[in-house]
Amino acid sequence: MKAGLIAQQFDVDGRLVTVETAGNGNVNDTYLVILRTTFDEQRFILQRLNRRVFPEPEHIMHNMCAVTDHVHRRLEAEAHMADRIWQLPRVISAKDGADFVVDGDGECWRAISLIASAHSYDKVQSIEHAHEAGFVLGQFQRLISDLPPDRLRVTVPNFHMTPSYLDKLDRALETPEGRERLSSAAAAESCYRFIQDRREWCSVLETAKANRELDLRPVHGDPKIANIMIDDATGKGTCIVDLDTVMPGLIHYDFGDCMRSCCNPAGEEAVDLSHVYFDTDLCASIVKGYMVFARSFLTEADKHYLYDGIRLIAFELGLRFFADYVAGDVYFKVRHDCQNLNRARVQFKLTESIETREAQIRKILETA
Ligand code: GN1
Ligand code: MG
């Protein structure tokens, strides 16, 4: 298998034992690699980067090294004050010293250390789990808050610029195939109407940014529940993984993404939409965990837009899935034909549920 051959090009001791697929990422392909020596076993994570999504892997690896160096240094300096061991993966170099390996087909592979004895989950497991997700996100944002944003490169242009996904959808609908995909399912038509009703509103954070009400800071970009690692022994959060989208952005993107992901107990791939809703108890628990660290860096303007961040990122992800469905599934990996349409419906159902609970959510945020 190709991944096995590539795995041996990284600077890790031992003979290759297995390479297994791991994780459920929507973009990259992830493998767990196991090597053994006479006395020891080494495990690491091998990933093939999706070149369509990340055309410039040097930028990703540059950011990853910048962030991990910075955070590892801070964690070490603060270790004596911490209530736990905080972790963050490190980049494993190739044997030739490079940060990644390019294979004969031009595919790009990188290796990162495994966070041992910890797991992540695709769906929230409990109220305590939600608390840990908020706690881990707040800690990560605090740790990178003093990393100058200009040290980070933009790995995906316009990544959380919601109106740019409207453009993507409009472009896809200019093609006969796109129009055909829209009209071929009643569910697609109703997703489209849902989007049309929110076209004006969805520049809310872009406008606040342009008016200098909100400032750019380093953000994670994808703090969904599946990227939060929980220590097997203690049940506490230990780390946030998937650093590909760490970029200058608004902390609202992260806060909103963590919320939309953790407060939907049915998860992103739910098929029965009646199980999809925004759970305000989970929301209160995340906010409690998040504020332990975030209280120190949130401004009044930041707080003012937190609710919009939650509503917007659920809507934006729905729009991204939907635009990709209309464009013929060119961005997110799919296992069946209507998977992106179904993912969009889940996020729009969640957005609706957030909108219905606006007063309750705002109250939780105000009293935090
Ligand atoms: C993608 O690849 P993965 O699963 O880590 C996507 C995120 C979405 C997420 C939804 C680079 O993340 O933005 O929120 O799916 N990553 C990219 O599950 O587009
Ligand atoms: Mg990701």
Side-chain angles (χ1 to χ4, degrees), residues 345-358:
R345 295 175 72 207
V346 170
Q347 293 305 315
F348 291 151
K349 175 82 196 293
L350 189 64
T351 307
E352 222 166 28
S353 175
I354 293 166
E355 290 167 352
T356 322
R357 291 163 174 75
E358 174 172 353

Side-chain angles (χ1 to χ4, degrees), residues 24-28 53-54 156 159-160 165 221-222 224 227 242 244-245 257 260 268 317 320-321 331-332:
N24 294 325
N26 290 328
V27 170
N28 297 327
V53 173
F54 301 117
V156 186
F159 187 49
H160 278 303
Y165 295 104
D222 188 14
K224 59 180 178 180
N227 286 335
D242 186 2
D244 295 338
T245 46
D257 197 53
R260 65 111 201 125
E268 280 177 32
L317 185 59
R320 292 174 64 199
F321 285 139
Y331 186 102
F332 295 105

Side-chain angles (χ1 to χ4, degrees), residues 242-285:
D242 186 2
L243 305 176
D244 295 338
T245 46
V246 171
M247 279 183 274
L250 299 178
I251 51 106
H252 303 74
Y253 303 152
D254 278 359
F255 181 74
D257 197 53
C258 186
M259 285 294 187
R260 65 111 201 125
S261 155
C262 300
C263 298
N264 166 18
E268 280 177 32
E269 301 287 347
V271 178
D272 183 346
L273 288 192
S274 70
H275 294 152
V276 176
Y277 72 102
F278 187 86
D279 186 313
T280 47
D281 291 337
L282 293 170
C283 166
S285 187

Side-chain angles (χ1 to χ4, degrees), residues 30-272:
T30 303
Y31 303 88
L32 171 68
V33 180
I34 304 182
L35 299 104
R36 279 191 203 127
T37 64
T38 313
F39 306 105
D40 204 4
E41 179 169 289
Q42 297 287 337
R43 294 172 173 233
F44 71 90
I45 296 292
L46 177 69
Q47 288 187 306
R48 177 172 47 201
L49 294 176
N50 182 327
R51 294 298 290 269
R52 193 130 45 149
V53 173
F54 301 117
E56 294 176 288
E58 313 74 41
H59 289 350
I60 299 229
M61 299 316 287
H62 166 93
N63 284 3
M64 194 154 178
C65 293
V67 170
T68 51
D69 284 353
H70 180 83
V71 172
H72 288 150
R73 222 173 306 124
R74 283 198 69 172
L75 287 178
E76 229 161 86
E78 295 176 2
H80 63 288
M81 301 185 298
D83 70 335
R84 66 190 73 184
I85 299 285
W86 288 101
Q87 297 173 279
L88 197 67
R90 67 179 176 82
V91 174
I92 299 173
S93 307
K95 285 180 177 148
D96 65 5
D99 287 335
F100 55 87
V101 165
V102 180
D103 70 18
D105 300 326
E107 299 276 8
C108 183
W109 301 76
R110 56 110 185 269
I112 49 180
S113 59
L114 177 77
I115 303 296
S117 308
H119 283 92
S120 68
Y121 303 83
D122 285 339
K123 294 181 203 170
V124 65
Q125 306 291 302
S126 63
I127 205 114
E128 292 80 18
H129 187 203
H131 178 274
E132 289 307 299
F135 197 69
V136 170
L137 176 61
Q139 163 73 324
F140 184 74
Q141 286 189 340
R142 183 187 69 82
L143 288 166
I144 59 172
S145 63
D146 60 339
L147 178 66
D150 57 12
R151 293 261 311 275
L152 296 172
R153 300 184 186 162
V154 173
T155 55
V156 186
N158 300 335
F159 187 49
H160 278 303
M161 227 169 261
T162 314
S164 75
Y165 295 104
L166 288 177
D167 296 343
K168 210 168 179 172
L169 173 61
D170 293 343
R171 277 199 308 276
L173 284 173
E174 280 165 13
T175 66
E177 297 82 13
R179 283 194 295 275
E180 164 68 25
R181 283 171 82 84
L182 174 64
S183 58
S184 65
E189 303 265 13
S190 84
C191 282
Y192 188 60
R193 280 194 299 277
F194 191 86
I195 295 166
Q196 295 298 66
D197 289 345
R198 288 157 184 80
R199 258 184 192 263
E200 299 304 315
W201 158 77
C202 82
S203 353
V204 56
L205 290 188
E206 285 311 302
T207 308
K209 203 163 73 180
N211 295 342
R212 301 299 312 269
E213 276 180 89
L214 301 176
D215 284 328
L216 290 181
R217 301 187 191 150
V219 297
H220 181 277
D222 188 14
K224 59 180 178 180
I225 193 85
N227 286 335
I228 309 268
M229 304 290 295
I230 303 291
D231 185 322
D232 293 341
T234 62
K236 301 278 184 200
T238 183
C239 167
I240 187 161
V241 293
D242 186 2
L243 305 176
D244 295 338
T245 46
V246 171
M247 279 183 274
L250 299 178
I251 51 106
H252 303 74
Y253 303 152
D254 278 359
F255 181 74
D257 197 53
C258 186
M259 285 294 187
R260 65 111 201 125
S261 155
C262 300
C263 298
N264 166 18
E268 280 177 32
E269 301 287 347
V271 178
D272 183 346

